[in-house]
Amino acid sequence: MAHQSTYQPKPGLDKWLDDRLPVMRMAHDTMLDFPTPRNLNYFWTFGGILTFCLMVQIITGIVLAMHYTPHVDMAFASVERIMRDVNWGWLLRYTHAVGASMFFVAVYIHMFRGMYYGSYKAPREVLWFLGVIILLLMMATAFMGYVLVWGQMSFWAATVITNLFSAVPFVGEPIVTWLWGGFAVDNPTLNRFFALHYLLPFALLGVVGLHIWALHVPGNNNPIGVDVKSKKDTLPFHPYYTLKDGFAIAVFALLFAMLVFYAPNYLNHADNYIEANPLQTPPHIVPEWYFLPFYAILRAVPDKFLGVVAMFGSILILFLLPWFDTSRVKSGTYRPLFKWFFVIFVFVCLGLGYLGAKPAEGGYLTMGRIFTTYYFLHFLVILPIIGLIETPKKLPNSISEAVLDDPPDSGGAQPSGAAASPEKRL
Amino acid sequence: MATETDDSTRRDFLMIAAGSFAAVGAAAGLWPLIDQMNPDASTLSLGTTEVDLSPIEEGQAITVVWRGKPVFIRHRTAEEIEAAKAVEMDQLPDPLARNANVSTDALATDVNRTQTGQEKWLVLIGICTHLGCIPKGQRIGDSKGEFDGWFCPCHGSHYDTAGRIRKGPAPRNLDVPTFSFVSDDVLRIG
Ligand code: HEM
Ligand code: FES
């Protein structure tokens, strides 16, 4: 770890274990006494929220797997049995299904946070890389989990997504047959998707471990993007951030519970309560909401192969983000021009999500094409150029200067009326 | 006596030889792990399907299953055949016949999409060549698209009365599977 260990094992068992396997020391240094910038805002709680989500998915998933049957003749019925007969089965399944959506809400906020505050910049490129790998693993896992239900949307999502690989020149068709283990999505496909849906979350857990390791080497970025310079800039992780994260997780869990108990199918699709029928495609097939922006990009391109390239490219381009952004200033707060382009970029991503749910025709298609073009321009042209032409605002010298020495009547962080008589608030 | 350089090249050679040997062994061990995901023997053996054509009236279509895939069989009307024959090759996004029963470079004329003497029967694998949805147009009341053949609702591909792609993102004509006529009324697919 980057900082000096402060762990003091108690004599006896603690000391004995510490000399043999210093796990308690590691836990202490990474989770209790880790020096953390004192100015982190609530956007920094999403890391903890994501860890919570992963645990929820793994725990509910393992329990669901005890009741689920991965066979084309029985899968759909076994999910219905979970819903109707298994004790608390409805709660476990709804938590798992809604949990996948909450997971993606959190990961997208977490990523936009990183983009705004420049958390992908040196020395955090590897940390950002591991994050993109986590996103890819999450997508693969969620896609295969959705197939397990074996409803109409499951089946046709599986068909359309696996067929994306048929666009690969020359070897496309053999790849698709290999993925299916047959000549269509069928029992072998369901079986292997179950095996992989069980496996990937644990692979994910491993990558999350690396992600946190890569975080603890340079330490956290922070809202002003100025590196930690002295001890005055930091606070120990516990109790300051364990409590802040804990509070955020509680609020997040509240929203989560509202969906589970009051609108469990709000983000689901009614057609997925019809058992898969390989001979009939539903009239409107749409992916899960968290794939919609990418689906809009796929459909914006009129050529099959190039459409698939654009779709995968829109995710893979994130790997190169640290090199497209030419500005040395991390935080968007001090980048007057970037700030506005960031807002447009978020709008374009949300817009693509909206368009992905609409039929690909007429005005929707035109908008889809404009937004797709903009999405790529943001990385390939806009970011490199604004980094070169923009004059950033003056950065504070240190975190402690920015948050502790804010002169009360400068109109800085607080309205002057409130700051004029702070004692009244006590 | 061997000099130091001699020694190190000999050592390099041994290292590379041993490394390559291990790599070949690892690749050989990996192949079964990859190939097990391909279709197994029982899936491959689902050879042929025979279909009785006598109940299909002119203008009707049925869907049968072959190798887990839907196969469209349409008894075409004279007008539908005429319409398909009238199309010029340069109007087709995909000019190839895509018919397992004729050569791979045959053009997508109506004749090459069907069997001589049995032009009224159009036999197609009913899977959109875009991303694999089942196009509409088999049932009465289905939308048949702008070219009166089939319409894929997933991303809007239009096929004509010879199952050729005319408009939309699908890159190829609908495939014609291997088939033959056992008698005038019995079709064997596969
Ligand atoms: C990254 C973590 C995970 C994500 C994002 C995820 C996502 C999903 C999704 C979206 C579904 C479909 C839910 C529905 O519509 O009913 C699903 C189903 C399922 N998942 Fe997961 N999952 C994860 C982890 C796991 C784990 C670790 C297991 C097992 C050990 C598991 C077992 C299952 C089972 C058995 C089903 C089918 C039953 C059902 O429909 O609820 N999942 N998963
Ligand atoms: S699958 Fe038919 S148009 Fe896309």
Side-chain angles (χ1 to χ4, degrees):
Chain A
M1 295 297 119
H3 69 111
Q4 207 64 45
S5 178
T6 54
Y7 183 60
Q8 299 284 345
K10 289 188 206 72
L13 188 60
D14 256 5
K15 174 87 177 70
W16 182 88
L17 184 64
D18 194 52
D19 290 340
R20 286 157 182 79
L21 181 71
V23 278
M24 298 312 284
R25 176 182 298 274
M26 189 169 128
H28 174 91
D29 292 346
T30 57
M31 289 186 290
L32 298 178
D33 194 39
F34 189 73
T36 312
R38 64 192 314 149
N39 59 340
L40 299 188
N41 61 30
Y42 272 102
F43 284 111
W44 264 263
T45 60
F46 281 88
I49 288 174
L50 284 162
T51 313
F52 169 75
C53 288
L54 182 58
M55 294 327 295
V56 169
Q57 290 308 97
I58 289 182
I59 293 167
T60 52
I62 289 176
V63 193
L64 285 170
M66 295 179 186
H67 301 278
Y68 172 79
T69 315
H71 187 283
V72 287
D73 295 334
M74 289 173 270
F76 187 78
S78 76
V79 173
E80 280 309 302
R81 192 168 344 97
I82 291 173
M83 293 299 292
R84 294 153 200 256
D85 299 345
V86 173
N87 301 333
W88 303 101
W90 60 272
L91 178 65
L92 296 166
R93 170 163 180 253
Y94 278 156
T95 305
H96 196 76
V98 171
S101 282
M102 296 303 286
F103 207 161
F104 277 93
V105 169
V107 86
Y108 287 143
I109 296 177
H110 188 68
M111 292 173 66
F112 280 127
R113 185 284 316 257
M115 290 182 173
Y116 181 75
Y117 293 108
S119 300
Y120 48 82
K121 293 185 193 185
R124 296 187 183 80
E125 300 94 324
V126 172
L127 175 58
W128 176 258
F129 251 65
L130 290 164
V132 182
I133 292 173
I134 289 173
L135 176 69
L136 289 170
L137 281 172
M138 270 177 68
M139 289 178 151
T141 308
F143 160 64
M144 290 195 261
Y146 193 58
V147 174
L148 299 186
V149 184
W150 211 245
Q152 273 289 65
M153 280 297 161
S154 302
F155 183 90
W156 292 100
T159 300
V160 168
I161 303 290
T162 48
N163 260 307
L164 291 177
F165 292 91
S166 71
V168 178
F170 309 115
V171 289
E173 295 293 337
I175 291 180
V176 174
T177 307
W178 178 76
L179 289 173
W180 288 341
F183 301 102
V185 172
D186 208 333
N187 200 49
T189 327
L190 177 60
N191 245 266
R192 63 190 59 177
F193 277 20
F194 179 58
L196 293 174
H197 185 69
Y198 208 131
L199 169 72
L200 288 189
F202 294 92
L204 202 56
L205 198 63
V207 183
V208 168
L210 292 177
H211 189 71
I212 294 175
W213 186 6
L215 167 70
H216 282 181
V217 175
N220 294 78
N221 184 27
N222 63 78
I224 65 168
V226 173
D227 289 339
V228 168
K229 301 220 166 94
S230 68
K231 215 166 154 30
K232 236 175 105 189
D233 292 345
T234 67
L235 294 170
F237 192 77
H238 179 74
Y240 293 94
Y241 288 109
T242 41
L243 280 178
K244 188 162 182 156
D245 279 359
F247 177 67
I249 290 172
V251 173
F252 183 82
L254 209 62
L255 296 173
F256 193 155
M258 272 166 62
L259 273 178
V260 169
F261 292 109
Y262 295 103
N265 285 308
Y266 179 67
L267 296 166
N268 200 351
H269 200 291
D271 276 286
N272 223 26
Y273 284 98
I274 304 170
E275 189 168 4
N277 176 358
L279 296 184
Q280 199 183 355
T281 310
H284 301 291
I285 60 167
V286 277
E288 294 283 85
W289 71 265
Y290 35 81
F291 295 131
L292 288 173
F294 307 101
Y295 196 58
I297 292 176
L298 170 77
R299 298 188 308 175
V301 184
D303 181 83
K304 174 172 163 179
F305 176 61
L306 295 179
V308 174
V309 169
M311 189 187 83
F312 284 109
S314 66
I315 304 172
L316 298 180
I317 202 168
L318 295 172
F319 279 116
L320 297 177
L321 176 59
W323 291 276
F324 284 129
D325 188 343
T326 49
S327 170
R328 301 271 267 322
V329 175
K330 290 198 187 89
S331 172
T333 311
Y334 297 92
R335 301 185 57 193
L337 202 53
F338 166 82
K339 197 186 272 184
W340 291 108
F341 283 100
F342 175 81
V343 172
I344 299 174
F345 178 71
V346 174
F347 175 77
V348 164
C349 292
L350 296 177
L352 282 169
Y354 168 79
L355 293 167
K358 295 287 167 194
E361 53 196 34
Y364 294 130
L365 191 57
T366 316
M367 286 312 288
R369 293 192 171 144
I370 296 172
F371 280 28
T372 300
T373 312
Y374 188 88
Y375 180 93
F376 286 101
L377 283 182
H378 177 80
F379 293 97
L380 298 172
V381 179
I382 296 171
L383 280 184
I385 292 181
I386 49 182
L388 297 177
I389 62 171
E390 162 187 76
T391 319
K393 290 201 229 161
K394 192 182 168 319
L395 289 172
N397 289 320
S398 70
I399 295 172
S400 41
E401 181 195 276
V403 295
L404 299 178
D405 302 333
D406 198 18
D409 49 8
S410 71
Q414 296 164 332
S416 42
S421 47
E423 69 287 350
K424 292 235 172 89
R425 291 184 305 178
L426 294 176
Chain B
M1 245 200 336
T3 65
E4 216 170 273
T5 26
D6 266 355
D7 206 33
S8 75
T9 44
R10 211 193 274 187
R11 216 165 262 247
D12 285 348
F13 174 78
L14 282 172
M15 287 302 279
I16 291 167
S20 324
F21 201 73
V24 170
L30 204 58
W31 179 244
L33 292 174
I34 295 171
D35 194 37
Q36 53 80 21
M37 278 177 62
N38 273 316
D40 65 15
S42 71
T43 312
L44 290 172
S45 70
L46 298 170
T48 59
T49 302
E50 289 196 1
V51 188
D52 177 11
L53 300 175
S54 54
I56 313 173
E57 304 279 333
E58 186 171 308
Q60 283 188 336
I62 62 160
T63 306
V64 296
V65 179
W66 171 67
R67 284 192 155 183
K69 298 179 185 188
V71 172
F72 292 169
I73 302 172
R74 193 189 275 193
H75 187 165
R76 298 189 296 172
T77 61
E79 299 84 73
E80 286 173 335
I81 301 175
E82 274 320 302
K85 287 197 161 146
V87 178
E88 297 295 334
M89 286 303 104
D90 58 10
Q91 290 173 272
L92 297 175
D94 175 18
L96 294 178
R98 309 289 174 190
N99 180 344
N101 309 287
V102 301
S103 75
T104 47
D105 54 2
L107 289 180
T109 56
D110 192 62
V111 174
N112 281 342
R113 297 277 295 163
T114 52
Q115 206 166 81
T116 321
Q118 297 282 5
E119 281 90 356
K120 62 182 181 182
W121 296 109
L122 184 63
V123 183
L124 303 167
I125 294 186
I127 295 181
C128 181
T129 59
H130 182 226
L131 294 175
C133 293
I134 313 282
K136 298 242 167 267
Q138 286 295 92
R139 290 197 216 174
I140 299 170
D142 270 2
S143 158
K144 293 182 171 182
E146 290 175 22
F147 298 87
D148 224 23
W150 287 268
F151 170 66
C152 182
C154 288
H155 317 96
S157 289
H158 300 255
Y159 297 91
D160 69 10
T161 54
R164 296 172 296 200
I165 179 70
R166 299 297 292 279
K167 187 178 168 196
R172 286 182 293 114
N173 300 327
L174 291 175
D175 288 313
V176 179
T178 311
F179 71 88
S180 57
F181 285 88
V182 181
S183 70
D184 263 0
D185 273 345
V186 179
L187 178 75
R188 176 190 291 146
I189 307 169

